Amino acid sequence: MVEAVQDAAVVVTGAGGGIGAALARRFAAAGARVVVNDLDPAKAEAVAGEIGGVAVPGDASAIVADARDALGGRVDVYCANAGVGSGGTEAADEAVWALAWDVNVMAHVRAAHALLPDWLERGAGRFVSTVSAAGLLTMIGAAPYSVTKHGAYAFAEWLSLTYRHRGVKVHAICPQGVRTDMLTASGSAGELVLAPTAIEPDDVADALFKGIEEDRFLILPHPEVAEYYRARATEPDRWLRGMNRLQRQWEEATAR
Ligand SMILES: NC(=O)c1ccc[n+]([C@@H]2O[C@H](COP(=O)([O-])OP(=O)(O)OC[C@H]3O[C@@H](n4cnc5c(N)ncnc54)[C@H](O)[C@@H]3O)[C@@H](O)[C@H]2O)c1
C-alpha cells in the first residue's frame, strides 16, 4: 500500500479502458477516491461503477473544475493519461497533427494550469503523465504521435524541475507496447515493434506505484528503454541506423 495515495482525491483521464482503467482500479484499491474521465461516457460510467468512483465524462482538456467538485473541492493526484495514437508521416492531415497536439500535449498544459494554483497554495500535488517510450525514443510510422509524446515528456520534465521544491511531484510513465485497444489499432508497425514485448495495463499500474514509493520521475515499465534512451543520447547516429533498419524491415514486411 502506498501511503501517499490512501484517501487521496485522484483523477484519471482516458480511464474508460486500457492503461487509464488499470490506473483507476489500482488507485481505488489503494483507498483513493477516484474520478474516472473518458470521452466515451458509457466507458467512464462502467469503470466508475466497478470501482466505486465517480464518472466525469468529456474531453480531458477541460474537466479539472468538474472533477474537483466531484471530489469535494480538492484534487491530490491528476493522471493525464488520455492520448491519441495518431500515426502517419509528414503528409498526415493537419487535423491529425492538431488532434495529437491537443490531446497528447495541450490537455496536460491546460490541466496543470487549472491545478497549480491550489497545489502551490497547499504545497502538495501529484501530476502523473502517461507519455510513452515514443516520447523518449520515437515510433516508426507515427510522426504526429512521436513528436507530441516528446512534447508531453518535455512538459512533464519542465513541471517537475519548476515546482519540485514547492511540493509538486511529477511522474512520466514511458512504456513500450501495452495490450490495449491503442496497440491493436497501431497496425503492422505496432505488431512489429511493440507487440513482441507488450505488457498488460496492470503492469503499468505496478510500475507507477513502485515509482511513487521510490519517489522517481521517470517510470519505465519496460526497463530496457533506459538503455535505448542512453544509446540515443550518446550515439545518435548508431541509434538512428538501428531505427532505420527497423523502418526498412517494416517496409519490406508491408511492401511499402
Ligand atoms: N497501448 C500502448 O502500447 C501504449 C504505449 C505507451 C503509451 N501509451 C499511452 O497510454 C495512454 C492510454 O492509452 P491506452 O493504450 O490505454 O489506449 P486506449 O485506447 O485503450 O485508451 C485511451 C482512452 O482514452 C480515451 N480518450 C481519447 N481521447 C480522449 C480525450 N480527448 N479526453 C478523454 N478521453 C479520451 C479513449 O476513449 C480511450 O478510452 C495514451 O496516452 C497512450 O499514448 C500507450
Side-chain angles (χ1 to χ4, degrees):
M1 181 80 69
V2 176
E3 267 175 40
V5 303
Q6 247 177 313
D7 299 320
V10 177
V11 180
V12 186
T13 69
I19 295 169
L23 296 180
R25 288 188 186 106
R26 188 60 57 91
F27 277 109
R33 292 175 296 120
V34 182
V35 157
V36 178
N37 158 261
D38 203 281
L39 209 46
D40 182 331
K43 283 165 108 185
E45 292 286 355
V47 174
E50 179 202 320
I51 66 173
V54 184
V56 176
D59 187 335
S61 257
I63 54 132
V64 170
D66 288 348
R68 191 185 278 133
D69 287 349
L71 290 165
R74 205 177 87 192
V75 174
D76 300 308
V77 180
Y78 188 91
C79 300
N81 169 81
V84 285
S86 319
T89 65
E90 73 289 344
D93 281 352
E94 288 275 342
V96 170
W97 282 95
L99 182 69
W101 178 248
D102 201 68
V103 182
N104 293 347
V105 182
M106 288 312 296
H108 299 202
V109 175
R110 295 180 190 121
H113 186 192
L115 293 160
L116 258 301
D118 175 54
W119 285 0
L120 294 177
E121 197 182 312
R122 289 199 279 133
R126 192 180 295 275
F127 192 94
V128 179
S129 175
T130 308
V131 185
S132 168
L136 302 174
L137 306 166
T138 200
M139 177 60 194
I140 62 168
Y145 188 72
S146 299
V147 171
T148 56
K149 288 295 184 177
H150 273 256
Y153 188 77
F155 183 64
E157 215 172 44
W158 183 89
L159 271 184
S160 181
L161 69 89
T162 303
Y163 296 116
R164 60 172 49 214
H165 64 296
R166 300 178 68 182
V168 176
K169 310 242 182 213
V170 182
H171 307 275
I173 315 176
C174 297
Q176 292 191 289
V178 184
R179 289 189 199 96
T180 68
D181 291 350
M182 189 181 285
L183 180 58
T184 309
S186 67
S188 54
E191 242 162 69
L192 176 71
V193 180
L194 304 174
T197 56
I199 57 176
E200 296 300 328
D202 276 344
D203 298 325
V204 178
D206 286 345
L208 172 63
F209 271 56
K210 192 157 180 276
I212 290 175
E213 252 170 13
E214 294 170 358
D215 199 15
R216 271 187 293 106
F217 168 77
L218 180 55
I219 314 286
L220 295 177
H222 295 79
E224 62 271 29
V225 168
E227 189 44 49
Y228 306 152
Y229 189 39
R230 197 172 295 123
R232 172 180 177 264
T234 56
E235 297 182 272
D237 287 291
R238 189 169 80 87
W239 178 77
L240 283 167
R241 278 194 300 275
M243 290 301 290
N244 177 251
R245 263 197 303 279
L246 210 50
Q247 167 74 20
R248 282 180 285 148
Q249 217 177 313
W250 179 51
E251 288 175 10
E252 275 162 31
T254 56
R256 268 164 208 274

